[in-house]
Amino acid sequence: MAELRLVLAGGGTAGHVNPLLALAAELRRRHPGAELLALGTATGLEAELIPAAGIDLVEVPRVPLPRRPSMDVLRFPSRWRRAVAAAQGAITGGRPADAVVGFGGYVATPAYIAARRAGVPVVVHEQNARPGLANRLGARFASAVGVTFAGTKLPGATVVGLPLRSAISDLVSAREIDTAEARRASAATLGLDADRPVLLVTGGSLGAARVNSAVAGAAVEILGTGAQVVHLAGAGKDEDVRRTVAEVTAAAGVPADDYHVLGYLEQMQHGLACADLVVGRAGAGTVCELAALGIPAIYVPLPIGNGEQRLNAAGVVAAGGGTLVADAELTPDWVRQHVAPLLSERDRLRAMGERAAAVGVRDGAARLADLVEHAIESGRRS
């Protein structure tokens, strides 16, 4: 295949940016001379992460669709034209792109429209079980559509899984070589005992109030199993969790030394390498990373939105690799009754991890890159 020029479109959240970066790394491995450009906004995560990965970022104005009567309705047409023009300049500037690969979000829609006008093949990747508006539009005329989960309703979809970010794909490889050694190394980094069970609690970078209060409120029973806890409370929310843990353990006369509370863990792979069980949300990235690593989880879907988080976790839960609990049902009592006993059953946890791994996809970046290459070859032949 001749040297490639590709435009990657996606931003705003880690759910869009991380798969984009994972695909970019795979394409660079296959095609070292490829020219990669990314479209993104000036304020999303992509503004920092994409240039840090050595990829040029072309800014596209963020143009949300007005949902109620306001001045934004009058401003929308001109803003939309500017966004499409910015995308088209990146796609056709110099030598036209061989393909545009979109991951959803605000910048994907103008990228899809600009690519269609320029006659450039479009490849869509949808990370959630329930697709967003941008990808529903792009899939109508895309040359190829890759989805993370079977059952995602997009025309002509191929299940490729989620392209894993490099830190997680490296951990997958390390665990395949020697799971125990990967665990020991990360346990030493975090100051944990690798021979004792570890519960990892996370609500994402912003935290999750329900998860924080429910798990911290059951700290006595969790610690009573001999488990260690790494609780990632979210930015600015760690003090509240520490206070709750201190109060409940002091009242019971139980030492809290094994309950570790952090706002955020930048090198999340260390926490995952040690975890015997995870309690957290069911974003596509979380579900796919845990399944790829073979880690069982208690999934607590976000109670707002269109319900995609429950759908994201449905497959791994059906396989026996996790448990779903509604946000409103997650209380300290629920944690005492379900999570604490599970931590005492390491054979059961191992079995759940094996079932999760059986449905996990570890080569999503390679599968999506195959799809992109095929779409380019087909476009060149036509």
Side-chain angles (χ1 to χ4, degrees), residues 2 5 8 31 36 41 43 66 82 84 106-107 137 170 176 194 255 259 281 290 320 329 332 343 353 361 375:
R5 182 174 187 271
L8 312 176
H31 308 280
L36 302 181
T41 67
T43 56
R82 286 197 296 272
V84 174
Y106 290 117
V107 300
L137 171 67
D170 289 347
E176 288 175 348
Y259 201 112
R281 293 300 192 199
L290 294 180
E329 295 174 10
L343 288 166
V361 176

Side-chain angles (χ1 to χ4, degrees), residues 102-251:
F103 295 84
Y106 290 117
V107 300
T109 306
Y112 295 151
I113 297 300
R116 188 183 191 191
R117 289 178 180 174
V120 171
V122 168
V123 177
V124 170
H125 182 270
E126 173 57 54
Q127 70 270 26
N128 284 304
R130 182 168 285 165
L133 181 61
N135 283 349
R136 292 204 303 271
L137 171 67
R140 293 179 181 176
F141 52 82
S143 300
V145 177
V147 296
T148 299
F149 302 104
T152 298
K153 294 181 179 178
L154 286 176
T158 298
V159 178
V160 298
L162 186 73
L164 300 174
R165 51 199 173 111
S166 59
I168 301 303
S169 60
D170 289 347
L171 179 56
V172 168
S173 299
R175 285 166 68 98
E176 288 175 348
I177 295 169
D178 191 336
T179 301
E181 176 54 34
R183 179 186 179 95
R184 282 193 296 270
S186 289
T189 299
L190 298 178
L192 302 173
D193 183 346
D195 295 325
R196 293 168 52 203
V198 174
L199 172 67
L200 177 64
V201 183
T202 176
S205 60
L206 298 179
R210 178 76 68 172
V211 172
N212 284 349
S213 62
V215 179
V220 171
E221 290 74 17
I222 292 171
L223 294 172
T225 68
Q228 306 157 96
V229 182
V230 177
H231 190 140
L232 310 180
K237 297 177 181 175
D238 45 322
E239 283 304 321
D240 288 341
V241 173
R242 287 193 189 94
R243 189 178 305 112
T244 299
V245 171
E247 289 171 356
V248 299
T249 54

Side-chain angles (χ1 to χ4, degrees), residues 32 48 69 74 109 162 165 196 254 307-309 312 351 368 374:
E48 177 183 350
L74 300 178
T109 306
L162 186 73
R165 51 199 173 111
R196 293 168 52 203
V254 173
E308 73 270 11
Q309 287 205 354
N312 290 345
L368 182 56
H374 185 265

Side-chain angles (χ1 to χ4, degrees), residues 25-71:
E26 175 65 17
L27 290 170
R28 279 176 161 171
R29 186 188 67 78
R30 297 183 182 195
H31 308 280
E35 178 188 350
L36 302 181
L37 281 179
L39 306 181
T41 67
T43 56
L45 282 176
E46 66 273 19
E48 177 183 350
L49 297 180
I50 287 176
I55 301 171
D56 289 336
L57 178 68
V58 176
E59 291 182 9
V60 173
R62 180 178 179 272
V63 189
L65 184 69
R67 298 183 181 276
R68 63 188 65 183
S70 69
M71 289 300 294

